[in-house]
Amino acid sequence: MAKLSKEEAKERIGKLKAEINKIRYHYHVLDESIVPEGVKDSLQHELQELEQEYPEFITPDSPTQRVGGKPLEKFEKVTHETPMLSLNDAFSFEELKAWEERIKKVVGLSKLDYYAELKIDGFAIALVYENGVFVEGSTRGDGRTGENVTQNLKTIESIPLNLKPIEQNTKEKEFYERIKGRVEVRGEVYLSKKEFERINKEQEAKGLPTYANPRNLAAGSIRQLDPRVAAGRKLDTYIYELTTDLGQKTHEDEHKIIKSLGFKTSKDTKYCPNLQCIQEFYDFQGKRREKLPFQIDGMVLIVNDEDLFKRLGVVGKTPRGAIAYKFPPEEVTTKLLDIRVNVGRTGAVTPYAVMEPVKVAGSTVSRATLHNEDEIKRKDIKIGDTVILRKAGDVIPEVVSPIKDLRTGKEKEFKMPKECPICGGPVVRPKGEAVARCLSKDCFAIEKERVIHFVSKDAFDIIGLGEKIVEQLFGAGLVTEPADIFALTEGDLKPLERFAEKSAKNLIDSIQEKKTVTLPRFIYALGIRHVGAQTAQDLADHFGDLNKLEKASVEELQEVEGIGDVAAKSIYEWFRDKKNINLLKKLKEHGVSYEKVRKTHELDGKTFVITGSLESMTREEAEEEIRKRGGKASSSVSKTTDYVVVGENPGSKLQKAEKLGVKTIDEKEFKKILS
Ligand code: IVH
């Protein structure tokens, strides 16, 4: 390019600045791109060169001045003209109503209206403009005195370096008249969720500590003496407060003015004539929360009328006329009780955390996958630790980190078991791989079948817990054996595919309903080889109590009617297997039991055989009814059969009954016996 004269350079610099500023404003404040990528950089490069040649034309509001300056020795103190306040919290609609009642009394009014906006999980800042030029940016500090972080704030592109008329029909002269002298706005510096993750990954890679939440990260970026750190992070802002009087009468006005000055304001705001409207807006935003690109931790509501707001005054460090209506926390602490492993479809042995149940993001959680051994090491998680648990909306809960300061010394390190907890087979972690595997092939399938049997119709009969879901629960590490079913919470299920809020609740309800079943069902559910539904009934009848059955010798078992040598041995051995003893113990711990009282067994000793189909119930249901009353349901007719129930299209059993002289009854008679 031909060399410009000084005059020409001055004019070009002015034009470049205006153009870059326009592109910046559209991109960073309005979220729209008006020129292809790279154009702004190239214009900025030209500007930089011209400014180097004519340094006398460099102004503090030049876009080249966003990243500049050397690292500071320390931050200067800034005294806020008016204190930077914080907000009281409300966690329920009741608390909100109580707050409204209190403030209505203070101002002697029966009705108030509000302005509601998102409460962004960021870091509060104050920006001061002198005659339209950004001169000072500061942190809240203790509310009265903060730190001068102008250099860092300048790197944030959504912060204008000078105030310019935004609306097309604004008269420039009037605009500059309005903003003459000092104008101060306040708002929030924040990072997108994406940027938060990116920076944490970067920290990890550098072996540096990660940030627990976006607020800490925003604060950590702004409170850096070297402005290059802030410049390297995509920090953003929302401005929500104008402390200078520019004629605003309501908080709604205030937002409009802030926007017209060129600041980025949130679109997610709402005027609300009452608290009901606030609640609706809160519910709406609560549902969107997960999908928003940045984190919010609630809503801020402010009495809309500025005069009223002032009249309501300040108590301590919080204004009476505003409140933060918080969402359920997405991060809580809980105790890590144990680290167990589950075995997946492919034999992958995955550790997971067993925690003291805790409410997070609105649901109760007690399990979280820990992915693999290395992850546990990297996060330095030990059994017994108090941990930070995070769950954003309906995503899978995650153990973020332990709170090491709370350690007692009794915490235990996790060791990957050498033997598969399910089948006892060898667990091997191939060199260079993150995942350990159980080498025996059928391990997963066998264990899954065990759980499916446990919840099946003749056993615990848990409605809604089919094979697919059992598989899903295994996959998520939530279930490795039958007893785990009873530790499930709604919060565990919601993140899983296909689990809308409703079905999660339904399943948990039906599990809780079945915590107590009849003794025969309980015995059958255990899945002891050679113990079908009828044998389970026989055992229950004979022993009447699980403890007695557990202790029975092979000889004692053989005495039970209908139990042969093979079954007796199998039952005896089942109750002596460590894994099974553990299952019974865990079931007890979860409050799973059987009905202790022996029902009056009106059909005690009576044997039934059903042939053909019944009208009012299935064969399985009929057999269950018989067993419930102490009777026996057999599949073949013999001399000892008491009744053959004859339904539609009876089979050969009817002829056999007639031949043997066994009493036959129809459905009506059968139902009479049952009633
Ligand atoms: S208004 C009088 N609006 O929450 C205080 N604050 O706990 C004025 N915050 O210090 C605050 N989003 O850092 C307001 N839309 C919003 C906000 C918001 C986030 C932060 C801010 C404030 C803290 C209060």
Side-chain angles (χ1 to χ4, degrees):
M1 210 177 280
K3 201 167 158 21
L4 300 180
S5 71
K6 193 166 172 177
E7 266 315 296
E8 285 167 335
K10 189 179 173 192
E11 202 190 322
R12 180 83 182 157
I13 284 173
K15 283 204 171 132
L16 284 171
K17 282 202 289 200
E19 187 60 20
I20 292 165
N21 201 25
K22 189 169 101 189
I23 298 168
R24 172 204 67 83
Y25 175 74
H26 279 271
Y27 190 78
H28 292 281
V29 178
L30 302 182
D31 267 335
E32 60 190 29
S33 193
I34 54 169
V35 289
E37 226 179 299
V39 170
K40 181 169 159 274
D41 286 347
S42 127
L43 295 178
Q44 189 142 336
H45 183 72
E46 186 189 340
L47 176 64
Q48 203 157 6
E49 300 221 307
L50 277 176
E51 282 183 343
Q52 255 166 30
E53 215 177 320
Y54 301 100
E56 60 271 42
F57 297 140
I58 299 177
T59 57
D61 67 351
S62 168
T64 57
Q65 301 306 297
R66 285 196 181 266
V67 206
K70 295 194 180 68
L72 300 172
E73 294 274 313
K74 65 175 181 50
F75 292 117
E76 299 292 329
K77 291 269 177 273
V78 172
T79 305
H80 299 301
E81 221 177 61
T82 56
M84 282 182 83
L85 302 172
S86 60
L87 295 174
N88 284 329
D89 292 335
F91 286 96
S92 66
F93 192 59
E94 280 59 47
E95 284 180 67
L96 218 55
K97 282 195 288 197
W99 165 73
E100 181 177 59
E101 284 313 311
R102 278 198 306 276
I103 62 171
K104 272 184 188 166
K105 268 196 201 130
V106 175
V107 284
L109 287 173
S110 62
K111 213 183 153 320
L112 291 171
D113 56 357
Y114 307 96
Y115 197 68
E117 50 201 285
L118 302 180
K119 187 171 188 305
I120 297 126
D121 198 9
F123 182 65
I125 49 156
L127 307 173
V128 176
Y129 292 76
E130 290 283 357
N131 296 320
V133 178
F134 179 48
V135 290
E136 183 189 275
S138 56
T139 66
R140 174 163 62 193
D142 63 4
R144 301 206 144 270
T145 326
E147 286 170 329
N148 184 330
V149 287
T150 314
Q151 248 196 350
N152 288 333
L153 293 179
K154 270 190 169 178
T155 67
I156 304 176
E157 299 259 6
S158 61
I159 295 179
L161 296 181
N162 50 24
L163 305 181
K164 280 253 157 75
I166 297 304
E167 279 137 29
Q168 289 198 328
N169 48 7
T170 315
K171 298 211 175 68
E172 289 224 3
K173 225 173 132 197
E174 276 169 26
F175 179 84
Y176 287 113
E177 198 52 41
R178 261 173 93 200
I179 59 155
K180 216 164 82 183
R182 188 180 193 279
V183 171
E184 180 179 341
V185 295
R186 291 172 183 177
E188 205 79 357
V189 170
Y190 69 94
L191 288 132
S192 67
K193 290 175 186 168
K194 237 175 153 175
E195 185 68 356
F196 172 67
E197 273 159 31
R198 183 191 69 78
I199 295 166
N200 262 351
K201 277 208 188 103
E202 205 177 270
Q203 291 285 108
E204 242 167 51
K206 286 186 198 155
L208 295 170
T210 54
Y211 294 93
N213 53 52
R215 192 207 335 270
N216 288 2
L217 179 48
S221 311
I222 292 301
R223 301 190 63 260
Q224 291 276 348
L225 293 166
D226 184 352
R228 277 172 305 184
V229 176
R233 294 173 177 181
K234 289 192 186 117
L235 295 160
D236 210 336
T237 56
Y238 274 125
I239 303 299
Y240 46 68
E241 199 183 351
L242 172 66
T243 58
T244 312
D245 183 359
L246 294 182
Q248 63 272 33
K249 294 271 176 284
T250 62
H251 198 70
E252 195 175 5
D253 275 353
E254 196 167 315
H255 266 257
K256 279 191 193 135
I257 297 172
I258 293 168
K259 192 172 171 205
S260 75
L261 295 177
F263 294 101
K264 181 164 171 178
T265 55
S266 168
K267 287 183 203 79
D268 295 297
T269 57
K270 191 175 170 74
Y271 165 78
C272 273
N274 53 42
L275 291 188
Q276 196 49 49
C277 160
I278 295 279
Q279 182 62 37
E280 279 160 25
F281 192 47
Y282 172 90
D283 291 339
F284 172 72
Q285 296 297 353
K287 286 200 194 97
R288 284 180 70 220
R289 182 182 185 192
E290 247 180 278
K291 291 182 203 93
L292 285 175
F294 48 84
Q295 286 197 11
I296 57 172
D297 54 0
M299 311 283 311
V300 174
L301 53 147
I302 298 184
V303 169
N304 197 29
D305 187 296
E306 298 265 336
D307 281 340
L308 271 182
F309 181 81
K310 280 196 201 102
R311 263 175 63 201
L312 280 163
V314 174
V315 189
K317 285 185 179 182
T318 57
R320 268 206 199 86
I323 197 161
Y325 189 10
K326 298 290 263 308
F327 292 131
E330 289 188 330
E331 245 162 35
V332 295
T333 61
T334 186
K335 192 107 193 240
L336 178 63
L337 302 174
D338 199 2
I339 297 178
R340 297 190 194 143
V341 296
N342 76 289
V343 185
R345 206 172 234 305
T346 57
V349 180
T350 309
Y352 65 93
V354 179
M355 295 162 291
E356 233 159 55
V358 65
K359 217 168 171 186
V360 57
S363 44
T364 306
V365 169
S366 61
R367 307 285 161 110
T369 178
L370 293 169
H371 304 290
N372 56 54
E373 234 179 325
D374 290 349
E375 173 97 349
I376 298 172
K377 279 223 178 72
R378 190 180 60 72
K379 290 187 173 170
D380 191 14
I381 297 168
K382 291 188 174 147
I383 300 164
D385 266 334
T386 299
V387 292
I388 296 173
L389 177 71
R390 184 178 157 71
K391 181 172 184 284
D394 281 349
V395 299
I396 294 170
E398 180 201 5
V399 177
V400 179
S401 62
I403 304 180
K404 290 189 204 163
D405 289 344
L406 293 180
R407 279 188 179 157
T408 60
K410 288 199 188 120
E411 293 74 17
K412 276 192 279 179
E413 208 144 311
F414 165 75
K415 280 208 180 67
M416 184 58 87
K418 291 201 166 44
E419 283 168 12
C420 170
I422 288 176
C423 67
V427 171
V428 172
R429 183 176 162 191
K431 266 221 164 67
E433 274 183 34
V435 178
R437 280 179 208 283
C438 164
L439 295 187
S440 50
K441 282 197 190 76
D442 304 328
C443 167
F444 175 83
I446 292 166
E447 199 58 18
K448 195 186 78 186
E449 287 311 320
R450 203 170 158 218
V451 172
I452 290 170
H453 173 80
F454 193 90
V455 302
S456 66
K457 202 156 181 343
D458 286 336
F460 273 71
D461 189 22
I462 296 174
I463 296 152
L465 199 48
E467 182 161 350
K468 277 259 152 53
I469 293 181
V470 170
E471 250 177 43
Q472 228 181 334
L473 295 173
F474 266 84
L478 291 165
V479 168
T480 55
E481 62 154 334
D484 294 333
I485 301 273
F486 297 94
L488 291 171
T489 64
E490 263 182 72
D492 291 335
L493 299 182
K494 273 197 236 159
L496 305 182
E497 221 179 294
R498 284 198 295 269
F499 272 103
E501 206 140 309
K502 185 95 189 303
S503 59
K505 185 179 181 315
N506 289 347
L507 182 52
I508 297 300
D509 285 351
S510 69
I511 290 170
Q512 292 306 316
E513 247 170 53
K514 294 290 167 64
K515 266 192 158 169
T516 306
V517 292
T518 61
L519 181 56
R521 277 176 180 275
F522 194 107
I523 296 170
Y524 175 68
L526 299 176
I528 305 167
R529 275 190 79 190
H530 306 294
V531 178
Q534 184 57 55
T535 311
Q537 178 76 55
D538 294 342
L539 290 167
D541 285 345
H542 187 93
F543 293 100
D545 175 334
L546 192 71
N547 284 331
K548 286 195 190 125
L549 172 62
E550 260 181 88
K551 292 196 192 100
S553 64
V554 177
E555 291 73 35
E556 280 166 324
L557 287 162
Q558 279 164 340
E559 276 167 29
V560 181
E561 218 196 291
I563 303 236
D565 296 355
V566 182
K569 201 160 166 263
S570 158
I571 298 164
Y572 179 84
E573 279 168 5
W574 193 94
F575 283 105
R576 270 132 202 100
D577 185 306
K578 222 167 86 192
K579 196 171 137 196
N580 299 329
I581 294 170
N582 201 33
L583 168 66
L584 292 173
K585 193 172 137 229
K586 264 174 81 181
L587 285 170
K588 211 171 180 179
E589 279 167 14
H590 292 317
V592 182
S593 60
Y594 52 91
E595 288 159 5
K596 298 275 178 328
V597 273
R598 249 189 113 170
K599 290 247 176 81
T600 44
H601 280 173
E602 60 267 39
L603 298 183
D604 253 350
K606 299 270 184 265
T607 305
F608 289 73
V609 173
I610 299 166
T611 176
S613 52
L614 303 179
E615 222 172 73
S616 59
M617 58 184 108
T618 64
R619 178 181 303 220
E620 288 74 25
E621 280 162 356
E623 288 177 351
E624 163 74 5
E625 293 302 318
I626 294 164
R627 283 197 292 271
K628 254 204 243 164
R629 288 164 179 77
K632 242 186 192 182
S634 175
S635 56
S636 61
V637 183
S638 74
K639 269 189 269 173
T640 58
T641 309
D642 292 287
Y643 300 99
V644 170
V645 185
V646 184
E648 266 314 292
N649 303 321
S652 62
K653 286 173 198 164
L654 175 58
Q655 283 128 43
K656 191 159 180 202
E658 278 161 356
K659 208 169 122 199
L660 294 173
V662 174
K663 193 173 164 59
T664 57
I665 52 172
D666 61 13
E667 185 166 353
K668 215 162 125 201
E669 284 170 283
F670 173 59
K671 283 182 85 177
K672 221 159 145 193
I673 292 174
L674 292 182
S675 65

